[in-house]
Amino acid sequence: MRSNDMGLTWRQLSLPVSPNSAMWVVDVQAERPNLVFAASRYGYLYRSDDGGDSWTKLWREFSEVSSLLWTPS
């Protein structure tokens, strides 16, 4: 779900692959605000390069995700 008005209204975003559990964490990069990562509780990782308008599922899956940290190279 996404809100552009501080939570007054919401719209559903489509993901390329349905999550295998509840979406658990979202990480927006301060240096690159259009780069967004999201993860389901049980290991599906998604990336958006356009601020959340479209998403790709990353190949790596984990057994459980409780937080995300992105470190640019």
Side-chain angles (χ1 to χ4, degrees):
M1 300 297 289
R2 180 178 186 173
S3 175
N4 291 327
D5 57 11
M6 305 286 290
L8 292 175
T9 61
W10 294 87
R11 66 182 172 97
Q12 187 164 348
L13 300 173
S14 61
L15 295 172
V17 176
S18 293
N20 60 349
S21 60
M23 294 304 291
W24 204 253
V25 292
V26 175
D27 183 53
V28 179
Q29 304 302 309
E31 306 84 26
R32 294 173 59 189
N34 283 332
L35 179 59
V36 183
F37 292 96
S40 69
R41 179 68 174 158
Y42 295 121
Y44 281 15
L45 299 176
Y46 300 89
R47 175 183 175 144
S48 174
D49 292 299
D50 58 12
D53 290 329
S54 62
W55 295 87
T56 56
K57 181 182 176 292
L58 302 180
W59 67 272
R60 177 79 166 140
E61 293 179 10
F62 296 91
S63 59
E64 187 173 338
V65 175
S66 60
S67 63
L68 289 172
L69 174 66
W70 176 73
T71 55
S73 54

